[in-house]
């Protein structure tokens, strides 16, 4: 299967297994979600589509194969907000999926590379792949929207796992706002 990230220009007729959409609303700070996320197709700033075939063409921002966990799976849509100075120390997630930066700036550090993301950039994180994220802004909130295919057993709980147990003592300033966990 594939997960695609599409914007409002996407108008193709496709066979969708599951979709989630997200639209920005009023920024109420780090402790509140920036937008509204729902399951299904609909008019939105962003849509995340799980399909049997890879998508391309107008409105398709990105598409990657996605791993489907054994034992059932769910589609999770959430937002992660980073106040000034926040760092998500090396960690993994049990699900794979897309992230799309909607405010601020973020450095994503993987095993062999580091990339600075600005508003409108997207990246894909495979399941169980260590990354570190560092907020780069000096004011305001850095925030991304994330959609992942997660094991059904992880519904309703965090998929975040620190890669180094000694990091457990370090502060975790980022705030996650979950919009949905939809089982399949």
């Amino acid at each position: 299967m594939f997960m695609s990230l599409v914007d409002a220009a996407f108008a193709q007729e496709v066979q969708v297994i599951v979709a989630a959409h997200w639209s920005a609303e009023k920024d109420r700070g780090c402790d509140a979600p920036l937008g509204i996320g729902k399951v299904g197709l609909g008019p939105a700033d962003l849509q995340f589509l799980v399909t049997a075939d890879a998508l391309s063409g107008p409105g398709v921002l990105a598409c990657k194969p996605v791993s489907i966990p054994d034992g059932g799976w769910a589609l999770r849509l959430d937002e992660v907000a980073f106040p000034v100075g926040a760092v998500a120390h090396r960690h993994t997630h049990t699900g794979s999926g897309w992230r799309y930066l909607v405010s601020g700036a973020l450095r994503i550090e993987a095993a062999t590379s580091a990339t600075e993301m600005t508003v409108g950039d997207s990246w894909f994180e495979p399941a169980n792949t260590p990354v570190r994220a560092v907020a780069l802004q000096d004011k305001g909130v850095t925030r991304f929207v994330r959609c992942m295919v997660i094991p059904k057993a992880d519904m309703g709980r965090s998929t975040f796992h620190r890669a180094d147990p000694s990091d457990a003592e370090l502060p975790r300033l980022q705030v996650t706002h979950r919009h949905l966990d939809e089982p399949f």
Side-chain angles (χ1 to χ4, degrees), residues 122-139:
S122 61
W123 67 100
F124 185 86
E125 290 182 14
N128 303 309
T129 301
V131 297
R132 180 176 183 259
V134 179
L136 300 177
Q137 86 285 6
D138 57 6
K139 63 181 179 177

Side-chain angles (χ1 to χ4, degrees), residues 43-109:
D45 295 330
L46 297 171
Q47 293 191 79
F48 300 88
L49 312 177
V50 176
T51 58
D53 300 311
L55 301 181
S56 63
V60 178
L61 302 176
C63 180
K64 289 271 191 184
V66 66
S67 302
I68 302 299
D70 294 331
W73 59 282
L75 190 69
R76 171 170 291 170
L77 180 65
D78 58 13
E79 297 175 37
V80 180
F82 287 73
V84 172
V87 175
H89 299 283
R90 280 181 43 85
H91 66 281
T92 63
H93 289 277
T94 55
S96 57
W98 285 104
R99 284 88 167 132
Y100 183 91
L101 196 67
V102 294
S103 68
L106 196 63
R107 185 174 60 247
I108 304 298
E109 300 169 359

Side-chain angles (χ1 to χ4, degrees), residues 13 30-31 46 84 88 95 99 112 116 144 146 157 182:
E13 298 266 340
C30 192
D31 293 328
L46 297 171
V84 172
R99 284 88 167 132
T112 60
E116 289 193 8
F144 62 85
R146 173 175 60 198
R157 63 183 200 182
E182 187 69 24

Side-chain angles (χ1 to χ4, degrees), residues 3 13 16 18 20 33-34 107-108 113 116 119 127 134 138 142 145 163 165 168 171 173 180:
M3 182 184 279
E13 298 266 340
V16 174
V18 64
L34 174 64
R107 185 174 60 247
I108 304 298
S113 65
E116 289 193 8
V119 173
V134 179
D138 57 6
T142 291
V145 177
L173 302 177
L180 62 95

